[in-house]
């Protein structure tokens, strides 16, 4: 019996991840059936590269009968896109970031409350095999402290067409755009642990052109679902140089550390793992990193950013 390839549609092309996702989908035997973006030229180019039809609306995109929709809008566009997809019986995965501020998070959750679609979101690092192995190895171990570093040069967030990512009020700036990776790593080790900040700081390089920050840090306590509290230190940086995603766990059995291989991004950073998870879950009407699991990461990311920046009203 011939198995039909999974039908994948793309809604929104805000940054580079959809191109990687589409290439991975084709590599894993899926079919790209449609793409929609407010920039019609970008959608047409995407369709020419990966297949499928460039559509004029989300309604037309859904007429292509996708098995799963991968959505990559700017954070302020997530709510109208979610509403357009909400009543479709199609699982939807949103590439990060779905909300960069407390106000955006509130609007997102209001829209999500009326959705019948299965909706998920995550940083691709959730699907990094090395991180998964570390999480399995630490299961049942008493963790007494965590230290995390997420580094991604922010120069790319400042070029025309992507400068919204560097804006704290629009895309979250370095603290959210890069910081979400740190909180994803933490959640993989301590699922559902919520962050209570104690102190934080931000810094900009001399002559920096960023609208957010070049480096920032927070310290505080993680409260696990079972009531345990674990101190955590998080460093987020956007300085020049290669990416770095590292986590160190101090446990009753010793210190366990991991630094992901950024030179092997497709496999080591979780891009391939994300696609495998999507292709596994979508035929059953599910999506990986469902919002009930993903919410903690989004809240922790925003809360840490607000604390480091000294915001008065925090989530």
């Amino acid at each position: 019996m011939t198995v039909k390839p999974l039908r994948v549609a793309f809604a929104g092309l805000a940054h580079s991840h959809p191109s990687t996702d589409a290439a991975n989908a084709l590599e894993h035997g899926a079919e790209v059936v449609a793409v929609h973006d407010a920039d019609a030229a970008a959608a047409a180019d995407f369709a020419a590269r990966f297949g499928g039809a460039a559509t004029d609306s989300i309604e037309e995109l859904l007429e292509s009968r996708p098995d799963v929709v991968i959505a990559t809008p700017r954070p302020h566009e997530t709510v109208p896109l979610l509403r357009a997809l909400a009543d479709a019986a199609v699982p939807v995965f949103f590439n990060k970031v779905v909300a960069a501020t407390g106000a955006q998070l509130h609007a997102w959750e209001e829209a999500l409350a009326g959705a019948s679609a299965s909706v998920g979101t995550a940083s691709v690092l959730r699907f990094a095999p090395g991180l998964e192995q570390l999480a399995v190895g630490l299961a049942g171990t008493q963790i007494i402290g965590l230290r995390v570093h997420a580094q991604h040069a922010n120069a790319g967030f400042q070029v025309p067409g992507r400068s919204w990512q560097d804006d704290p009020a629009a895309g979250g700036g370095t603290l959210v755009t890069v910081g979400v990776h740190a909180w994803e790593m933490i959640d993989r080790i301590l699922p559902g642990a919520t962050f209570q900040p104690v102190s934080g700081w931000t810094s900009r390089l001399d002559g920096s052109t960023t609208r957010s920050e070049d480096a920032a840090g927070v310290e505080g306590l993680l409260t696990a679902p079972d009531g345990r509290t674990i101190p955590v230190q998080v460093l987020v940086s956007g300085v020049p140089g290669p990416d770095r995603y590292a986590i160190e766990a101090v446990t009753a059995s010793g210190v366990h550390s991991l630094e992901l291989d950024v030179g092997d991004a497709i496999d080591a950073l979780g891009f391939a793992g994300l696609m495998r998870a999507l292709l596994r879950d979508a035929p059953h009407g599910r999506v990986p990193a469902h919002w009930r699991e993903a919410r903690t990461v989004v809240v922790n990311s925003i809360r840490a950013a607000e604390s480091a920046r000294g915001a008065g009203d925090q989530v």
Side-chain angles (χ1 to χ4, degrees):
M1 183 177 68
T2 302
V3 178
K4 293 182 179 180
L6 197 76
R7 300 168 64 83
V8 183
F10 289 84
L13 304 172
H15 50 71
S16 63
H17 285 212
S19 293
T20 304
D21 293 337
N24 282 335
L26 296 175
E27 180 71 21
H28 284 79
E31 177 186 5
V32 177
V33 295
V35 57
H36 172 73
D37 189 79
D39 184 338
D45 176 69
F46 190 92
R49 293 166 61 199
F50 301 110
T55 68
D56 294 328
S57 67
I58 294 298
E59 291 74 19
E60 185 182 348
L61 178 142
L62 291 172
E63 289 174 1
S64 69
R65 296 177 291 105
D67 297 306
V68 62
V69 176
I70 299 176
T72 312
R74 301 179 183 187
H76 74 275
E77 298 169 337
T78 56
V79 169
L81 181 55
L82 177 60
R83 287 174 176 156
L85 294 166
D87 294 330
V90 180
V92 184
F93 181 84
F94 279 80
N95 277 318
K96 62 95 178 178
V97 173
V98 297
T101 67
Q104 288 178 354
L105 175 60
H106 179 72
W108 162 268
E109 293 203 289
E110 278 193 335
L112 194 63
S116 57
S118 178
V119 178
T121 184
S123 152
V124 292
L125 295 195
R126 171 166 289 273
F127 306 96
L131 189 60
E132 180 178 3
Q133 292 170 11
L134 180 63
V136 170
L138 292 178
T141 302
Q142 182 185 4
I143 299 175
I144 58 178
L146 283 175
R147 183 166 61 184
V148 186
H149 182 198
Q151 151 70 22
H152 181 95
N154 61 23
F157 305 149
Q158 300 174 48
V159 300
R162 292 184 65 185
S163 60
W164 57 272
Q165 290 183 288
D166 188 48
D167 182 351
T174 301
L175 258 167
V176 174
T177 301
V178 180
V180 66
H181 296 302
W183 295 103
E184 197 75 70
M185 287 191 286
I186 290 168
D187 193 70
R188 197 67 182 82
I189 302 304
L190 287 169
T194 56
F195 177 59
Q196 183 58 48
V198 173
S199 64
W201 56 271
T202 63
S203 181
R204 292 179 57 167
L205 297 168
D206 291 342
S208 174
T209 57
T210 179
R211 285 187 286 173
S212 56
E213 49 277 314
D214 291 307
V218 290
E219 294 188 11
L221 294 175
L222 291 164
T223 301
D226 63 5
R228 289 176 298 149
T229 58
I230 301 99
V232 62
Q233 297 177 327
V234 175
L235 173 63
V236 178
S237 56
V239 297
D243 291 1
R244 183 174 192 257
Y245 304 105
I247 185 167
E248 186 174 67
V250 181
T251 76
S253 62
V255 178
H256 302 263
S257 59
L258 169 71
E259 182 164 346
L260 297 175
D261 180 7
V262 299
D264 184 22
I266 298 302
D267 288 319
L269 295 189
F271 286 98
L274 165 60
M275 188 52 56
R276 286 192 293 269
L278 283 168
L279 300 185
R280 177 196 66 218
D281 290 351
H284 305 285
R286 301 193 301 265
V287 68
H290 190 279
W291 180 247
R292 62 177 171 266
E293 303 164 355
R295 184 180 190 275
T296 301
V297 173
V298 177
V299 171
N300 285 347
S301 300
I302 296 173
R303 184 173 292 160
E306 290 176 334
S307 174
R309 293 170 180 156
D313 298 322
Q314 299 181 7
V315 297

